[in-house]
Amino acid sequence: MAIDIRVRPAELTAVQTVWRSTIGKKAVMAVTGLLMVAFLLAHMLGNLKIFFGPHDFDGYAAWLRTIGEPVLHGAWFLWILRAVLLVALVAHVTCAVQLSRRDRAARPTRYAHGQRARASFATRTMRWGGVALGLFLIWHILDLTVGVANPDFDKNGPYHNVVADFQVWWINLIYVVGVLMVGLHVNHGFWSAAQTLGLRRRRGRDLTLRVVGSALAAAITLGFLAVPIGVMTGLVR
Amino acid sequence: MKITVRIWRQAGPQEQGALVAYDLDEVSPDMSFLEMLDVLNERLILGGQEPVAFDHDCREGICGACSTVINGRPHGPEQTTTCQLHMRSFSDGDVIDVEPWRSRAFPVIKDLVVDRAALDRIVQAGGYITAPTGTAPDAHATPVPKPAADTAFENATCIGCGACVAACPNGSAMLFTSAKAAHLNALPQGQPERESRVLNMVAAMDAEGFGGCTNTGECVGSCPKGIPFQSIVDLNRDFLRAARRR
């Protein structure tokens, strides 16, 4: 017997199908989020070079500009990486805003009694935490890439800039809070992305995914926190 | 038992509603929650007042008609249907808040009754198998692996009450839609329509104005039938694969 397997509306392409559905937009958030987590991991590991002294750290920073030579010109790799991350960030935020607006519209009336929160703190802070992370990111780029927010910026001295930064108590505070928010966001985000992409095939894998996500979040948080703590304790001077 | 129920009263779809408190003096712990509402309604009717409108049908936990949010949880403190919830789950002197399902896709018709036709339209979009129905086929005509039969049966227990939507902070119908899709997608008879089913049902779900899933897991905590979160993960995977192949 022949069966009707038409999809309505019929004319949509794969990209349109993904972009117009809630699941598709979540998949975009999952993929772009995982991309940014991969970047964070590399960024964090690179930061730890600071414990080997100014020569190693500044040398590492200079090397970043030479990746891909001689095929790529100076700093081209960095600019390509920045472009990719910017596209990922814009896609991630666009989907988050569109989905959040939809979610709020879908539940116009709250329960008078209030609802029990089965969801964890990390889960409940994804939206406002994401906004806070965006603000932290802008400050972070102005501080250590552009330099206008840095107390004593030297274009060719990243080690010097980091040490100058973390002498100031409120810069430490912004940074530590920002990094903790990153950890919270990744803690729920990694697991959530895995669910959205359908990576869990058996119920038993859930614990594995949660453990991997939390371990990743903890490693990223501790790795980034090590730098200001190093400066504050005088290990990095 | 003496209890106070604060019930959402709303005269019609366009009217303003509010919680109204009623004191009940002789509540037996062995009454079901709906029987408690019956007692209240008898009193209201005898007093010439409008009884509380609420949905109910089988009263044995298998039809999915009853739909009240009790103290902020769909179907109340126990993971069961409202009709199978008994007053022994509450204590003497309790104040119990009773509200309708809250979701833009579930407009309130009157008091605790909401219109859940949006769930029917999701099923109409693909929650079936196109097959000639005649007499029942021989049980061994189509072999079904035992794990597939178990998955299908587990998801087929969904009674479509909508507690998942009511529990979800985003008013998302993902658990319902995923249960209906997983039930059929697990079986050999469901394979020919697997991809069109998932694409059409998700499109229908989104068109009804339900929110998106944010993996909070509130739905599985309120599902009277224990539909697993795994069904949502499977729907995500099936949808993304079907979309890629368009």
Side-chain angles (χ1 to χ4, degrees):
Chain A
M1 182 191 152
I3 285 174
D4 177 13
I5 54 162
R6 278 174 298 178
V7 176
R8 282 159 289 265
E11 70 279 6
L12 292 188
T13 63
V15 173
Q16 285 172 317
T17 306
V18 167
W19 186 252
R20 290 187 187 185
S21 70
T22 48
I23 297 180
K25 282 195 204 292
K26 274 151 41 67
V28 171
M29 288 189 71
V31 171
T32 53
L34 290 175
L35 195 73
M36 290 189 277
V37 167
F39 167 75
L40 279 180
L41 201 62
H43 183 10
M44 181 274 287
L45 291 172
N47 281 7
L48 296 180
K49 280 259 176 197
I50 202 153
F51 292 101
F52 296 102
H55 179 74
D56 278 40
F57 189 71
D58 289 351
Y60 164 74
W63 169 77
L64 288 177
R65 299 175 178 281
T66 68
I67 297 174
E69 283 184 357
V71 175
L72 300 176
H73 284 283
W76 273 32
F77 171 80
L78 275 191
W79 282 106
I80 293 169
L81 182 66
R82 285 165 182 166
V84 170
L85 286 172
L86 187 67
V87 169
L89 182 69
V90 168
H92 196 80
V93 171
T94 305
C95 289
V97 169
Q98 289 178 346
L99 287 170
S100 299
R101 290 177 60 145
R102 183 192 174 89
D103 293 348
R104 278 164 184 259
R107 170 56 81 67
T109 318
R110 284 167 170 255
Y111 290 111
H113 190 86
Q115 256 183 304
R116 153 190 94 110
R118 181 188 158 99
S120 66
F121 182 70
T123 309
R124 283 182 279 122
T125 48
M126 287 305 272
R127 280 184 192 141
W128 294 116
V131 173
L133 281 186
L135 295 174
F136 172 68
L137 186 65
I138 292 170
W139 175 81
H140 186 61
I141 289 172
L142 290 178
D143 177 21
L144 285 164
T145 310
V146 181
V148 291
N150 194 284
D152 184 23
F153 192 70
D154 171 8
K155 201 161 89 61
N156 297 314
Y159 186 91
H160 167 81
N161 297 336
V162 170
V163 175
D165 242 354
F166 295 127
Q167 309 288 345
V168 187
W169 70 268
W170 57 268
I171 292 181
N172 281 324
L173 189 69
I174 295 177
Y175 191 86
V176 169
V177 170
V179 166
L180 288 174
M181 305 277 317
V182 170
L184 267 181
H185 206 75
V186 171
N187 187 37
H188 177 71
F190 181 86
W191 175 83
S192 191
Q195 311 301 311
T196 299
L197 295 176
L199 296 184
R200 173 154 65 114
R201 283 174 188 272
R202 280 173 291 113
R203 263 174 242 179
R205 286 261 297 280
D206 188 39
L207 190 65
T208 318
L209 286 170
R210 277 198 193 275
V211 169
V212 170
S214 296
L216 206 58
I220 287 174
T221 308
L222 294 175
F224 279 121
L225 284 183
V227 178
I229 290 172
V231 176
M232 279 189 267
T233 54
L235 206 64
V236 176
R237 59 178 80 216
Chain B
M1 283 170 71
K2 281 188 180 186
I3 56 152
T4 302
V5 277
R6 300 199 304 160
I7 299 176
W8 184 261
R9 299 304 307 264
Q10 182 174 340
Q14 309 302 328
E15 309 292 326
Q16 284 286 323
L19 285 177
V20 178
Y22 301 95
D23 293 321
L24 287 159
D25 289 339
E26 287 179 6
V27 174
S28 157
D30 296 328
M31 279 180 179
S32 76
F33 198 84
L34 295 185
E35 283 166 342
M36 182 274 292
L37 291 179
D38 290 338
V39 169
L40 171 65
N41 274 347
E42 280 171 13
R43 198 181 82 192
L44 291 176
I45 293 167
L46 287 174
Q49 287 173 288
E50 187 73 13
V52 178
F54 62 90
D55 265 328
H56 63 103
D57 190 19
C58 73
R59 298 210 178 196
E60 53 189 15
I62 57 170
C63 79
C66 52
S67 51
T68 54
V69 171
I70 301 161
N71 286 345
R73 286 188 62 179
H75 296 306
E78 314 279 344
Q79 198 169 347
T80 182
T81 54
T82 304
C83 62
Q84 292 297 301
L85 175 70
H86 291 81
M87 296 314 292
R88 54 180 164 268
S89 299
F90 302 91
S91 311
D92 194 35
D94 273 2
V95 178
I96 305 167
D97 286 344
V98 189
E99 300 170 77
W101 278 183
R102 294 293 189 194
S103 166
R104 187 164 70 107
F106 290 166
V108 174
I109 297 171
K110 187 179 180 184
D111 297 339
L112 302 172
V113 179
V114 298
D115 180 0
R116 285 171 283 180
L119 298 185
D120 298 336
R121 290 190 287 271
I122 294 175
V123 170
Q124 282 166 7
Y128 51 81
I129 286 172
T130 309
T133 54
T135 52
D138 289 335
H140 63 311
T142 309
V144 181
K146 175 68 170 147
D150 287 346
T151 302
F153 196 80
E154 184 177 32
N155 285 286
T157 58
C158 168
I159 49 179
C161 63
C164 45
V165 178
C168 178
N170 309 322
S172 170
M174 275 291 278
L175 192 67
F176 169 81
T177 308
S178 69
K180 296 299 167 198
H183 155 211
L184 301 173
N185 288 348
L187 294 170
Q189 296 92 329
Q191 297 314 308
E193 291 163 289
R194 182 173 188 151
E195 293 187 359
S196 59
R197 167 181 305 118
V198 166
L199 292 173
N200 287 331
M201 289 180 78
V202 169
M205 175 184 81
D206 287 344
E208 293 294 341
F210 290 108
C213 171
T214 46
N215 302 322
T216 64
E218 301 286 358
C219 52
V220 287
S222 281
C223 177
K225 295 297 160 183
I227 303 296
F229 193 80
Q230 179 69 43
S231 299
I232 292 182
V233 181
D234 292 341
L235 180 67
N236 287 334
R237 188 171 57 245
D238 275 339
F239 175 84
L240 293 172
R241 187 176 51 202
R244 268 204 312 276
R245 292 190 187 167
R246 289 212 72 181

